[in-house]
Amino acid sequence: MPSIHQTKIKTNKNLTILSIESSCDDTACAVVRSDGTVLAEQIYSQKEHVQFGGVVPEIAARAHLSHLSTLVKKTLTQAQIEWEEIDAIAATCGPGLIGGVIVGSSFAKGLALAQNKKFIGINHIEAHALTVRIPNISPLQVNFPYLLFLTSGGHCQCIHVTNVGEYHRLGGTIDDAAGEAFDKVAKMLGLSWPGGPALEALAKEGDENAFTLPRPLYGRAGCDLSFSGLKTAVANLLTDYENTDTLPRQLAADIAASFQKAITTAIINRLENAIKMAPDSTLLATAGGVAANQYLRKHLLSLAEKYNLPFIAPPMNYCTDNAVMIGWAAIEILHQAANSHKIIDDISLLPRPRWPLSEMSERFEN
Ligand code: KG4
Ligand code: ZN
């Protein structure tokens, strides 16, 4: 990792991190400590996209720019701490919508330079992967190795987490992310964006066995996922309805329930393979917006129980994008760096739209 700012950092103490997240449509800021205390947390979920029925990258970047400075000020006021108490400033540097990532990381770097703090650039997926380790977030202490199913609007992958910086992608979607599939099917059914929660609510009124929809890659080796065929199958059920106003509610509910069953069955089948691919996993964890889905959670819990694994799903506000996970990832990285006698400062790290997890061990290498 590039490093031009080699100031010392106290890594054996309770670190305090100011963190920023801006990789999609949530502008978020937090102050987090090594013992898991969240001193302050602010989030603005951008409403600017609702009229477009999906996140518009350019609008997201501009919205981050408009809201970030106020949000950071509010967070600092809420935390009631002085700058001297902050050890480092962390921000998402990728992967994500690059405009937003540039806004958040540049803002954080500016603050770091002005306040003479270290800047830690965080991989957004790494932050999701480490969230279950935040003290007090889970009923159990989460030790390595564990298996994470990350499922959001932009990402869908199975990760074997063996240490800080060591993330092995066992498989992932070869087309849409699961959240994207929920959102697109919800749109076909005339539901408002974001579609996932609305689809789950509608599915409760429907018959999940009304339609047999494809379960992509079911029974195949490996744990890759695919959802585009399932989405097309739903579109084919709706060819008689030119606009959603004419779609009978019960039919929409039956389709929603059948879709939710099909996507869940496919995911569980793929994850069963992932468990077999990483037999040393001590637990199954999930994260990402789709992990809010109660139907999916119920089936993930049953799968974990089948293999005698605890199942951990963080509270919803830490499943979806947030800045606490960014601050926590920085804490894990700084402690790990101290163990490997490394000094980390990412002030010259450039924002990245893509940033494979396999590169995250580089910062601890000699
Ligand atoms: O993690 P997240 O907040 O943002 C990113 O995409 O990074 O995830 C948002 C996604 C959206 O696609 C949304 O429709 C989906 O999570 N989602 C759900 C549910 N709640 C949110 N999908 C299915 N069921 C839900 N209850
Ligand atoms: Zn995310």
Side-chain angles (χ1 to χ4, degrees):
M1 289 288 150
S3 171
I4 59 166
H5 192 223
Q6 299 278 318
T7 50
K8 274 237 170 249
I9 196 154
K10 306 152 270 179
T11 33
N12 55 350
K13 63 158 224 163
N14 196 1
L15 296 172
T16 303
I17 307 291
L18 173 68
S19 55
I20 289 173
E21 155 62 29
S22 62
S23 66
C24 192
D25 59 337
D26 292 305
T27 316
C29 183
V31 178
V32 190
R33 288 209 162 133
S34 307
D35 62 2
T37 311
V38 177
L39 292 181
E41 191 183 357
Q42 295 285 330
I43 185 157
Y44 171 69
S45 294
Q46 299 176 358
K47 316 279 178 295
E48 285 83 343
H49 310 283
V50 174
Q51 58 175 306
F52 302 103
V55 181
V56 183
E58 173 69 18
I59 292 175
R62 285 164 187 262
H64 288 303
L65 200 53
S66 330
H67 297 288
L68 194 53
S69 42
T70 314
L71 211 76
V72 171
K73 267 193 200 159
K74 272 193 194 167
T75 309
L76 288 169
T77 307
Q78 186 189 359
Q80 294 188 309
I81 48 167
E82 302 299 323
W83 275 109
E84 298 77 69
E85 295 172 70
I86 293 176
D87 294 286
I89 299 175
T92 304
C93 271
L97 301 176
I98 195 63
V101 175
I102 290 173
V103 170
S105 62
S106 303
F107 190 99
K109 284 180 184 180
L111 272 183
L113 290 170
Q115 298 294 337
N116 195 27
K117 305 289 178 191
K118 277 180 167 294
F119 170 74
I120 314 296
I122 301 297
N123 180 310
H124 180 89
I125 307 294
E126 176 175 37
H128 273 305
L130 295 172
T131 299
V132 284
R133 282 174 45 83
I134 300 176
N136 312 325
I137 221 179
S138 314
L140 307 168
Q141 187 186 335
V142 175
N143 296 318
F144 302 112
Y146 56 90
L147 190 65
L148 175 82
F149 178 53
L150 172 61
T151 177
S152 71
H155 308 283
C156 192
Q157 44 190 295
C158 310
I159 306 168
H160 187 214
V161 184
T162 54
N163 202 347
V164 178
E166 291 177 20
Y167 315 100
H168 311 274
R169 188 181 187 277
L170 302 177
T173 182
I174 55 173
D175 40 55
D176 296 344
E180 212 177 333
F182 267 98
D183 290 342
K184 285 178 182 163
V185 168
K187 198 171 186 176
M188 291 179 211
L189 298 176
L191 304 174
S192 59
W193 178 85
L199 191 146
E200 181 178 11
L202 181 61
K204 291 201 174 91
E205 300 171 23
D207 172 7
E208 65 177 29
N209 298 314
F211 300 97
T212 305
L213 293 168
R215 286 130 174 84
L217 299 177
Y218 191 97
R220 302 260 191 96
C223 62
D224 278 341
L225 300 123
S226 162
F227 303 116
S228 70
L230 176 53
K231 202 179 59 192
T232 309
V234 172
N236 289 340
L237 293 177
L238 294 166
T239 45
D240 289 347
Y241 299 90
E242 266 179 26
N243 75 57
T244 52
D245 295 344
T246 59
L247 188 63
R249 186 168 175 92
Q250 191 56 50
L251 175 61
D254 287 348
I255 293 175
S258 304
F259 165 79
Q260 188 171 252
K261 181 181 178 186
I263 196 165
T264 301
T265 314
I267 288 171
I268 296 299
N269 176 257
R270 314 310 295 150
L271 281 179
E272 188 151 8
N273 285 356
I275 291 174
K276 291 174 188 160
M277 289 160 80
D280 61 350
S281 301
T282 55
L283 57 90
L284 173 66
T286 189
V290 183
N293 188 289
Q294 294 300 327
Y295 184 92
L296 175 64
R297 277 190 188 217
K298 195 177 79 186
H299 286 84
L300 287 171
L301 174 64
S302 308
L303 174 70
E305 281 173 352
K306 180 173 169 189
Y307 288 88
N308 272 325
L309 294 172
F311 170 63
I312 304 228
M316 259 334 291
N317 51 329
Y318 294 141
C319 271
T320 51
D321 290 348
N322 65 88
V324 171
M325 70 176 189
I326 303 301
W328 176 254
I331 287 165
E332 294 259 36
I333 288 165
L334 288 170
H335 284 300
Q336 181 74 353
N339 292 340
S340 349
H341 307 289
K342 292 275 176 195
I343 293 173
I344 292 186
D345 191 329
D346 298 329
I347 196 77
S348 55
L349 180 69
L350 295 178
R352 300 180 55 167
R354 295 186 193 284
W355 194 1
L357 283 175
S358 54
E359 293 180 20
M360 301 320 298
S361 60
E362 287 172 12
R363 63 185 355 147
F364 306 116
E365 284 165 7
N366 287 316

